[in-house]
Amino acid sequence: MTFVRPARRGVLAAATLTALLAAAACGGGGSSTPAASSAPAADLSKQGPTEYWAGKDTSGNLKNLIAEFNAQHPEGKITFHELPDNADLQRQQMIQNTQIKNPQMGVLSMDVVWTAEFAANQVVEAMPADQFPTEGFLPATVESGTYFNKLYGYPTSSDGGLLYYRKDLLDKAGLKPPTTWDEMKQACKTIQADSGNDKLECFAGQYQKYEGLTVNFAEAVDSAGGTIMGDDGKPAVNSPEAAKGLSFLVDSFKDGTIPKGAITWQEEQGRQAFQDGNLIFHRNWPYVYALASKTDGSSKIAGKFAVAPLPGLTGLGVSSLGGHNMAIAKNAENKGTAADFVKFMASEKVMKSNVIATSAAPTLTSLYSDADVTKKYPYMPILLKSIETAKPRPKAVKYGDVTLAIQDAAYGALQGQTAPDAALASLQTKLGTLTQ
Amino acid sequence: MATATAVGKSSTVAGDGHKHKKNALSDGQGRLAWMLLAPTLLVIIVVAGIPVLLSIRESFFQTNSGVDPNTGLVAGGESFVGLKNFTDIFAGANQVEGSYGTMDRFWNAFLNTTLFTVVCVLLETVLGVAMALIMSKAFKGRGVVRAGILVPWAIPTIVSALMWKLIFDEAGVMNRILHQQILWLADTGASFWAIVIADVWKTAPFIGLLTLAGLQTIPAECYEAAKVDGATAWQQFTRITLPMVRPTLVVAVLFRTLDTLRMFDLPYGMIGPGKYRVETLSIFAYQEATQNRYGPAAAYAIILFIYVLLVAFVFVKVLGADVIGDSAPPKKKKKKGAGDDDAKTSAVPSLEMMGGAH
């Protein structure tokens, strides 16, 4: 009978073992990378096959572009390495493949908020200014790819917030799109009193606790003249201006300007409400334009809406900057091919074809006035305005922690659990320890 | 099960005084047994043993995260920090606001995990037993009811998480039924109960299924005798059904407890990461790992591992959960006659334990 006890223990151990597996699977990062503080300039000459790592190619245009590049570039060919749709999973795979020094990973499609983390942890290579000129690009997009005065991501696509509004309702009331929050609230009162529709809400953005909340919080703070982190990389969020920005959101939830349920909204829930005709004003990304214009019955407001720049406290507001930049992986074997592909993707001709196929906002100023682009996307001039004044989200090496700290503070305040001032004070302290 | 039965029989025989020196398992077949087991053992060592050992090693290290103020670069690499990852739990450097006030994120997750387990398993057990009682009755359409009860268990957890997310949406079905606007998917006390509802819905059938297997081994004569003696339905349930189904039920509850302690996909898929009112230890460890803090993540996972192990130990020692079906206390075995060891008990060997109780 003695063999029974270990056997039983074995079963128990097996039953409980799985608890560890999740962490164990990620525990392979034991290799130590030596410090390379004075890195020599990267050698971007070696040609050969390499891979482009990016999320799903929903438009189907990418494979044409890669085929075109490979046809004119026989000395080194690009293969598309498709990553999951989820941005967090993309980031994780890129980091893990840096840790295992995957030489195949050549070009990365890098979200603008990853720049600091990827640059500091040497996931990506610094790009020499002589090979990657930044003239003609929107300054905000170049800024988003820059870390410690070095360019790490070549801007290929951008994104900015827009204020979608019900042109039919505003026209009926004889109003112009609002430039300040007060004007917006006033317009809502006029329209709501008139409409006789008690389902018609005033305004909403994205306030669920996720990256979208960071975007909307940053826009509120920036639009009130505040800032989350100063140019020196030190937090500066505990200011009267930032408090005014956060208070706008908090008060809007309290007085019903923003519907209560919006605390659980991401982009899609807000778009749905706007398309169903239940919102007068809506902050969202450009992708909504095509969907809300659909005349197949999915949108009740096709042809009844228009876009404007975001409103602010005393004048036009400031958008948070979105988009992806292209970067060369530090451990790539054939960096020459990788660099050539980045240049190819950022060329005006390729970017134009991509903009038309995917609606991704271009980073070259010239494309915003291109006749073909504006014909397909009439909102481009307004999007240009939005991106021209847009600010990147805080640049932090520990961006994941920073954005969670921001969400903690903002979500607590929006739910009415903490006062805006107290939330900002504790956020300031937390950001201080995170950016030491 | 086959091994367990063999053991049970051989011990009974031994108790009768017929000494068999020869043991079927040690009779020159040891080498064959090892050869047959080797592939399985190898797989377990590779996919479970080595990762666990690596995890334990990892929990004593921390990633260097200091940023060079001149270049902005991170030195990288890891350094040995001893037990710091474990002691940091008590340092309280990572305060969050959850259902229990402001406390360290680890303890908040620990309390969530414990509370989820207690509440969910309690409700699941009650509902599960009720389901088993219904499924064991003979009535028209029993097959449909049985299949219907098992459907939630067959749905992958992450799929049911997304399904319940739609139901609990602020404009979803649940709020329309209740005629209220409860913000289940925000980070409120309601979020906790949303998870409890979804988890109970999904896993009560599991307890029901295992209990049903236990119910079917209760001989009908017991109930007939009780009826003759004039026992009420409630008396039959508490005096016959519950005691006789208890060994199976305890094992089912043990499995559910261990499972719920590791809960990840429901809160993560339904309410989302960073919601401190539903954040469990598994989610917290995962989140730390995604921030490249593998050391603390491994430390939290190991604490969870030990916690789960302790709970399992308590179940086995105090409640007498019989996971393999052969650990009946020797005292009771001695009382048993050879005639008890019939075909019925071999179906659920642990029922032997109840032999002398009535």
Side-chain angles (χ1 to χ4, degrees):
Chain A
M1 287 297 281
T2 45
F3 63 89
V4 170
R5 307 199 121 261
R8 187 214 290 152
R9 230 178 273 148
V11 169
L12 283 183
T16 50
L17 243 148
T18 31
L20 269 176
L21 286 182
C26 311
S31 63
S32 55
T33 31
S37 49
S38 56
D43 172 25
L44 300 181
S45 60
K46 193 158 184 281
Q47 297 287 347
T50 191
E51 291 175 357
Y52 171 48
W53 286 47
K56 198 165 184 256
D57 169 33
T58 43
S59 68
N61 192 42
L62 183 62
K63 65 174 191 299
N64 303 334
L65 294 178
I66 289 178
E68 193 186 326
F69 174 81
N70 287 343
Q72 42 173 269
H73 199 273
E75 64 270 34
K77 289 195 191 308
I78 288 279
T79 346
F80 179 43
H81 181 102
E82 188 174 297
L83 294 175
D85 232 6
N86 180 307
D88 290 332
L89 296 178
Q90 294 172 13
R91 171 184 156 274
Q92 245 174 296
Q93 291 212 14
M94 289 173 182
I95 289 176
Q96 278 164 9
N97 278 277
T98 303
Q99 283 165 346
I100 61 166
K101 296 200 184 338
N102 181 350
Q104 249 81 58
M105 185 168 76
V107 183
L108 303 180
S109 172
M110 178 171 72
D111 195 305
V112 289
V113 295
W114 302 336
T115 305
E117 183 184 13
F118 279 18
N121 288 300
Q122 303 182 43
V123 174
V124 294
E125 190 71 81
M127 296 169 146
D130 55 332
Q131 285 200 51
F132 293 92
T134 52
E135 291 89 39
F137 287 94
L138 281 160
T141 64
V142 176
E143 176 60 23
S144 76
T146 309
Y147 177 70
F148 270 70
N149 294 323
K150 277 188 191 161
L151 188 70
Y152 286 89
Y154 208 42
T156 43
S157 81
S158 186
D159 221 349
L162 295 173
L163 182 74
Y164 290 82
Y165 66 94
R166 289 287 300 278
K167 196 170 182 336
D168 57 333
L169 298 178
L170 265 74
D171 283 351
K172 212 173 114 194
L175 295 166
K176 278 198 280 182
T179 55
T180 68
W181 293 325
D182 284 339
E183 278 178 37
M184 185 171 76
K185 287 191 181 189
Q186 212 50 51
C188 284
K189 274 185 196 142
T190 318
I191 292 170
Q192 280 167 328
D194 242 30
S195 71
N197 175 6
D198 60 347
K199 270 192 169 171
L200 190 63
E201 306 276 2
C202 179
F203 170 74
Q206 294 78 41
Y207 309 109
Q208 174 64 285
K209 193 174 182 183
Y210 77 120
E211 188 59 28
L213 180 61
T214 306
V215 167
N216 279 261
F217 172 77
E219 282 174 357
V221 168
D222 290 333
S223 299
T227 180
I228 297 176
M229 276 201 212
D231 293 334
D232 56 353
K234 295 270 173 274
V237 76
N238 197 10
S239 67
E241 291 83 11
K244 276 180 201 157
L246 180 57
S247 297
F248 157 69
L249 294 178
V250 172
D251 295 343
S252 296
F253 267 100
K254 275 190 195 140
D255 66 18
T257 304
I258 300 176
K260 251 205 195 105
I263 194 92
T264 63
W265 286 6
Q266 302 191 3
E267 280 88 352
E268 281 299 274
Q269 286 92 338
R271 174 176 78 84
Q272 202 59 52
F274 185 68
Q275 278 185 198
D276 289 347
N278 294 335
L279 275 179
I280 304 171
F281 298 105
H282 181 38
R283 180 254 172 250
N284 213 324
W285 305 99
Y287 85 98
V288 170
Y289 198 94
L291 294 167
S293 303
K294 273 195 179 167
T295 48
D296 60 357
S298 60
S299 169
K300 292 183 186 161
I301 51 148
K304 295 181 187 170
F305 73 97
V307 290
L310 296 174
L313 180 67
T314 52
L316 280 183
V318 178
S319 165
S320 291
L321 194 71
H324 278 73
N325 299 327
M326 281 182 113
I328 302 168
K330 185 94 181 170
N331 296 325
E333 197 189 340
N334 300 315
K335 286 182 189 161
T337 307
D340 290 347
F341 185 63
V342 172
K343 288 176 207 160
F344 169 81
M345 289 295 277
S347 66
E348 185 166 345
K349 188 173 142 271
V350 172
M351 196 185 292
K352 181 174 165 180
S353 100
N354 231 353
V355 169
I356 289 176
T358 65
S359 87
T363 50
L364 289 166
T365 322
S366 55
L367 286 176
Y368 284 89
S369 43
D370 185 284
D372 296 331
V373 174
T374 48
K375 195 179 156 221
K376 183 143 191 225
Y377 305 109
Y379 56 80
M380 278 297 169
I382 292 168
L383 183 60
L384 177 64
K385 263 190 188 172
S386 167
I387 294 177
E388 267 177 341
T389 57
K391 278 201 185 173
R393 277 158 276 170
K395 279 188 197 172
V397 178
K398 294 179 183 168
Y399 184 75
D401 293 322
V402 166
T403 186
L404 182 64
I406 292 173
Q407 291 165 30
D408 282 352
Y411 211 59
L414 294 188
Q415 285 193 311
Q417 289 155 355
T418 35
D421 290 338
L424 292 179
S426 71
L427 177 58
Q428 173 82 15
T429 319
K430 198 142 199 190
L431 291 183
T433 47
L434 286 175
T435 53
Q436 263 167 11
Chain B
M1 277 300 176
T3 334
T5 315
V7 174
K9 274 193 177 141
S10 69
S11 69
T12 316
V13 175
D16 285 350
H18 302 279
K19 303 259 180 215
H20 288 270
K21 283 271 155 93
K22 281 187 179 175
N23 185 329
L25 288 175
S26 62
D27 198 15
Q29 297 187 42
R31 188 171 298 165
L32 178 66
W34 275 110
M35 273 165 59
L36 292 174
L37 285 175
T40 318
L41 282 177
L42 190 75
V43 169
I44 290 179
I45 288 170
V46 170
V47 304
I50 294 175
V52 167
L53 289 179
L54 283 175
S55 267
I56 293 173
R57 178 195 169 274
E58 190 68 37
S59 71
F60 299 116
F61 285 81
Q62 263 182 15
T63 315
N64 302 328
S65 63
V67 177
D68 186 318
N70 297 318
T71 59
L73 299 183
V74 171
E78 293 186 316
S79 42
F80 182 77
V81 292
L83 289 172
K84 190 168 182 296
N85 288 331
F86 294 92
T87 52
D88 274 355
I89 293 166
F90 302 97
N94 194 5
Q95 303 283 338
V96 297
E97 182 94 31
S99 298
Y100 327 98
T102 307
M103 62 173 69
D104 193 84
R105 194 170 168 189
F106 173 86
W107 292 112
N108 181 64
F110 184 86
L111 284 179
N112 277 338
T113 307
T114 310
L115 207 63
F116 269 132
T117 307
V118 172
V119 174
C120 290
V121 173
L122 262 181
L123 293 173
E124 281 156 21
T125 310
V126 172
L127 270 177
V129 170
M131 283 175 179
L133 289 175
I134 293 169
M135 286 193 283
S136 69
K137 292 279 177 284
F139 57 89
K140 221 179 164 189
R142 184 171 76 159
V144 178
V145 171
R146 280 189 179 182
I149 285 179
L150 285 176
V151 165
W153 180 246
I155 297 177
T157 314
I158 191 68
V159 175
S160 56
L162 295 177
M163 204 173 77
W164 282 99
K165 189 177 178 178
L166 287 178
I167 294 174
F168 282 121
D169 191 82
E170 54 93 17
V173 180
M174 189 58 102
N175 280 349
R176 286 189 198 184
I177 292 173
L178 297 173
H179 290 293
Q180 278 184 37
Q181 200 187 27
I182 299 173
L183 300 171
W184 305 93
L185 302 185
D187 191 17
T188 60
S191 318
F192 182 90
W193 291 105
I195 298 293
V196 170
I197 292 170
D199 191 60
V200 169
W201 172 84
K202 182 177 161 51
T203 51
F206 173 78
I207 293 196
L209 191 66
L210 286 193
T211 312
L212 177 66
L215 283 180
Q216 285 174 339
T217 62
I218 302 176
E221 298 91 67
C222 293
Y223 292 104
E224 279 166 24
K227 256 184 218 158
V228 172
D229 289 345
T232 62
W234 178 249
Q235 279 172 328
Q236 285 182 29
F237 177 68
T238 53
R239 301 285 175 87
I240 298 174
T241 313
L242 267 191
M244 294 192 79
V245 87
R246 184 176 161 263
T248 331
L249 190 58
V250 170
V251 171
V253 170
L254 169 68
F255 282 162
R256 275 309 305 149
T257 309
L258 303 190
D259 226 19
T260 319
L261 284 171
R262 297 184 285 113
M263 190 192 307
F264 177 88
D265 24 13
L266 259 189
Y268 193 88
M270 218 172 117
I271 313 287
K275 302 285 182 71
Y276 301 122
R277 276 162 188 82
V278 296
E279 186 172 73
T280 62
L281 273 180
S282 302
I283 296 181
F284 180 37
Y286 173 78
Q287 289 296 97
E288 286 295 291
T290 58
Q291 294 310 320
N292 303 341
R293 285 190 291 270
Y294 300 120
Y300 303 146
I302 283 165
I303 294 174
L304 177 62
F305 176 68
I306 293 169
Y307 187 38
V308 170
L309 212 63
L310 273 180
V311 172
F313 182 78
V314 167
F315 258 89
V316 172
K317 282 291 161 193
V318 178
L319 295 174
D322 193 358
V323 180
I324 305 186
D326 54 8
S327 63
K331 240 197 305 182
K332 286 182 180 165
K333 261 190 189 149
K334 271 183 196 157
K335 279 189 202 161
K336 286 160 56 66
D340 283 356
D341 197 5
D342 58 12
K344 269 192 193 107
T345 48
S346 68
V348 177
S350 45
L351 275 179
E352 289 174 353
M353 235 161 79
M354 309 311 298
H358 311 283

